[in-house]
Amino acid sequence: GESVGLHLPTLSVQEGDNSIINCAYSNSASDYFIWYKQESGKGPQFIIDIRSNMDKRQGQRVTVLLNKTVKHLSLQIAATQPGDSAVYFCAGNSGGSNYKLTFGKGTLLTVNP
Amino acid sequence: DTAVSQTPKYLVTQMGNDKSIKCEQNLGHDTMYWYKQDSKKFLKIMFSYNNKELIINETVPNRFSPKSPDKAHLNLHINSLELGDSAVYFCASSQGDGFPKFGPGTRLTVT
């Protein structure tokens, strides 16, 4: 079945540095991946998504890379700010269905001033 | 504000009680969801409704019963609450193949 996992449960960076959060998936049936940001006490918030026919997608200060060969995706945050401190989740749709997302475990990003 | 809203935000109750969590979205979305987040932050889908019809029902105890009176509302009723039901429950909604937008969550504590 589909599973999505993260390499590191926690990541601590200095303000202004770039952050890279990694995610591995096991099932190639996912054709759609999303990164969510969850701040303390709040619901997950959409950051960026990528379709499986893409290798890279850029947003504002964020870039998602997808490597289908090794079933790996990453979220890069440029010039990390204290407001970026949160738990980050990757999620993939299961079995091609847009109605069911399988979430990874989450990475806690802490930005030190 | 267009959003997904949930009530209550906090719910503390004793084992064996029955409780409900309400969810409303004013985004005009056709699909609504319930997700459960455990103490380790793991998020897992429970139910999904599309145009008031149940389309996803994960392996959830039948003590959990979702109800969708209309496309804008999806409530979650839980019977005979157990300690293991303590978690944060998130409602979400989406339109077409769009990404789910999540509500603020309801923290349920069963004592």
Side-chain angles (χ1 to χ4, degrees):
Chain A
E2 172 66 37
S3 68
V4 182
L6 291 163
H7 293 307
L8 295 172
T10 61
L11 177 64
S12 184
V13 300
Q14 290 298 122
E15 182 178 357
D17 287 352
N18 296 334
S19 303
I20 299 176
I21 302 171
N22 297 305
C23 181
Y25 62 96
S26 61
N27 193 320
S28 301
S30 292
D31 57 9
Y32 178 55
F33 298 93
I34 306 175
W35 281 99
Y36 279 92
K37 172 187 179 183
Q38 186 178 20
E39 295 175 273
S40 180
K42 297 184 179 179
Q45 178 185 6
F46 173 90
I47 302 174
I48 193 168
D49 63 351
I50 189 167
R51 299 279 172 180
S52 61
N53 60 355
M54 302 169 69
D55 297 321
K56 179 179 179 179
R57 190 163 188 213
Q58 286 185 293
Q60 188 177 12
R61 284 201 305 118
V62 295
T63 300
V64 57
L65 300 178
L66 176 61
N67 186 330
K68 293 179 285 295
T69 303
V70 295
K71 299 181 183 176
H72 179 272
L73 66 158
S74 65
L75 178 70
Q76 301 178 3
I77 305 173
T80 316
Q81 302 167 1
D84 295 326
S85 294
V87 177
Y88 289 82
F89 294 94
C90 65
N93 63 333
S94 295
S97 167
N98 290 327
Y99 299 123
K100 181 177 175 181
L101 289 181
T102 299
F103 279 78
K105 294 175 190 170
T107 292
L108 173 62
L109 174 65
T110 302
V111 182
N112 302 309
Chain B
D1 274 354
T2 54
V4 181
S5 59
Q6 297 178 226
T7 54
K9 185 162 177 65
Y10 300 97
L11 184 54
V12 181
T13 188
Q14 291 184 324
M15 285 175 54
N17 285 347
D18 303 338
K19 290 293 178 186
S20 292
I21 305 171
K22 295 186 176 181
C23 177
E24 177 181 3
Q25 55 94 4
N26 61 5
L27 299 160
H29 288 172
D30 59 6
T31 306
M32 296 186 72
Y33 313 79
W34 278 108
Y35 280 81
K36 179 180 180 181
Q37 186 171 49
D38 63 21
S39 58
K40 296 181 180 177
K41 296 287 189 183
F42 187 66
L43 263 168
K44 186 168 168 47
I45 191 168
M46 301 173 67
F47 302 103
S48 176
Y49 271 74
N50 177 256
N51 288 315
K52 300 196 318 176
E53 288 194 24
L54 182 65
I55 55 171
I56 292 174
N57 185 351
E58 289 296 283
T59 309
V60 177
N62 57 17
R63 298 182 293 104
F64 290 78
S65 54
K67 283 190 171 52
S68 182
D70 55 58
K71 280 172 48 175
H73 296 84
L74 180 62
N75 303 322
L76 183 65
H77 188 75
I78 316 170
N79 289 327
S80 303
L81 278 154
E82 300 178 357
L83 292 176
D85 297 332
S86 295
V88 181
Y89 292 84
F90 287 100
C91 179
S93 69
S94 67
Q95 176 64 31
D97 63 355
F99 63 88
K101 183 174 175 65
F102 285 80
T106 295
R107 180 175 294 277
L108 171 65
T109 303
V110 183
T111 61

